[in-house]
Amino acid sequence: MDSEAIIRVENLTTHYGSRRILNSVSFSVYPRETIVLLGSSGTGKSTLLRHILALEKPTSGHTFIKGLDVCHCSEDELNELRRRMGVLFQSGALFGSMSLGDNVAVPLRELTKLDESTIDVLVRMKLGLVGLGGFENLMPSQLSGGMRKRAGLARALALDPEFLLFDEPSAGLDPITAAGIDDLILKLKETFPMTIVVVTHELVSAFLIADRIAVMFAGEIVALGTPAEIQQSSHPRVQQFLKRVPEEPERDHEAYLRSLTASS
């Protein structure tokens, strides 16, 4: 089955200085699959996403996308691949000095030779797709958090990407707005032949949108499977996350006893 993978990560290890962030991570993503990288903050999810985007180089290991090793390829090859990727960053990453329409038009103007009238039509189509039809003249400062996320998604969809990647799409949103983003992702899954990778720590979102879930802890994938398989996992870290059990605080018991003796 691995030979059919559209994204393949092999033994990926990454350090920031002396600190190890990813530890020999391996997994595959298949065409038109939605895979969710799930875990608490600091587990390496966003770092792994940046490696898939070839924004960072690993200490060791490989990331293959459509057979291209993005860790060891030319800048021209990377740029061609990135044209087929759409990315929604946590904040939406809109240009504050540009209108909503101009934000969505950026990749069309930079990477195609389309005339302005065609670009204008495509911008309206993409904004309509995410529920922002008629808002093209607003500035990012005039938008709510959820609207900024939708606008960022419209821009990510501008070039009809083959891959769509989300970094914490529900971050900072109220539950109702977050549910709207989840519904939009499901709509995109059903409508377009895209492969989707989502980074999140939101359990409800993960189990709603995912075909498979990779649960991460301390820079490793500790469980990988369908939502039903993840719910049945016996791995203690998976169960801790699913049941929202807090970490036990580390305590130096001998120092604690000494402090009690000294204060008496």
Side-chain angles (χ1 to χ4, degrees):
M1 189 175 182
D2 272 355
S3 61
E4 303 169 2
I6 197 166
I7 300 173
R8 193 170 78 254
V9 176
E10 293 184 351
N11 301 314
L12 204 67
T13 297
T14 295
H15 291 80
Y16 292 164
S18 61
R19 183 184 173 203
R20 187 174 61 192
I21 306 300
L22 297 176
N23 183 27
S24 194
V25 172
S26 296
F27 73 104
S28 295
V29 186
Y30 299 94
R32 302 198 66 169
E33 178 180 38
T34 297
I35 191 163
V36 170
L37 305 178
L38 179 67
S40 56
S41 299
T43 56
K45 308 184 302 297
S46 293
T47 299
L48 181 52
L49 188 71
R50 288 195 293 272
H51 281 298
I52 294 173
L53 289 166
L55 297 177
E56 294 188 17
K57 295 288 187 182
T59 305
S60 61
H62 302 273
T63 301
F64 297 93
I65 301 179
K66 299 195 75 171
L68 177 69
D69 186 349
V70 300
C71 303
H72 305 91
C73 66
S74 70
E75 195 65 27
D76 287 342
E77 289 174 313
L78 273 182
N79 288 336
E80 179 59 32
L81 179 63
R82 286 171 178 154
R83 288 170 64 102
R84 301 201 292 271
M85 291 182 167
V87 186
L88 177 60
F89 297 98
Q90 283 193 38
S91 64
L94 299 176
F95 298 108
S97 61
M98 293 183 179
S99 69
L100 198 51
D102 284 335
N103 264 280
V104 177
V106 165
L108 295 166
R109 289 172 177 153
E110 293 292 327
L111 299 172
T112 74
K113 296 181 180 179
L114 297 172
D115 60 67
E116 279 297 316
S117 61
T118 303
I119 289 175
D120 186 55
V121 170
L122 289 172
V123 165
R124 293 201 302 270
M125 288 175 58
K126 301 305 180 182
L127 287 172
L129 183 64
V130 300
L132 291 177
F135 289 85
E136 55 267 18
N137 293 322
L138 291 184
M139 301 299 288
S141 60
Q142 297 174 291
L143 305 178
S144 67
M147 292 172 73
R148 284 194 293 271
K149 288 286 181 78
R150 287 174 177 267
L153 180 54
R155 186 176 60 191
L157 294 170
L159 295 175
D160 296 322
E162 187 174 351
F163 306 92
L164 192 56
L165 301 101
F166 295 83
D167 190 7
E168 299 284 3
S170 301
L173 302 180
D174 65 81
I176 294 175
T177 305
I181 297 294
D182 291 340
D183 285 344
L184 186 52
I185 294 173
L186 290 173
K187 176 183 174 182
L188 294 173
K189 283 181 59 173
E190 295 169 359
T191 307
F192 298 103
M194 291 187 295
T195 302
I196 300 175
V197 180
V198 181
V199 164
T200 188
H201 62 271
E202 298 286 349
L203 287 171
V204 174
S205 294
F207 282 93
L208 178 66
I209 65 177
D211 295 313
R212 287 191 301 148
I213 297 172
V215 182
M216 297 191 67
F217 175 75
E220 299 181 358
I221 292 177
V222 297
L224 176 61
T226 65
E229 289 169 340
I230 294 299
Q231 286 180 319
Q232 297 300 316
S233 172
S234 60
H235 194 286
R237 287 296 181 177
V238 175
Q239 288 303 312
Q240 178 189 25
F241 191 76
L242 296 181
K243 295 175 181 178
R244 303 178 73 243
V245 178
E247 291 281 0
E248 286 289 337
E250 294 185 6
R251 174 177 288 178
D252 185 333
H253 293 285
E254 290 186 3
Y256 179 63
L257 288 174
R258 286 196 300 271
S259 69
L260 290 176
T261 304
S263 62
S264 60

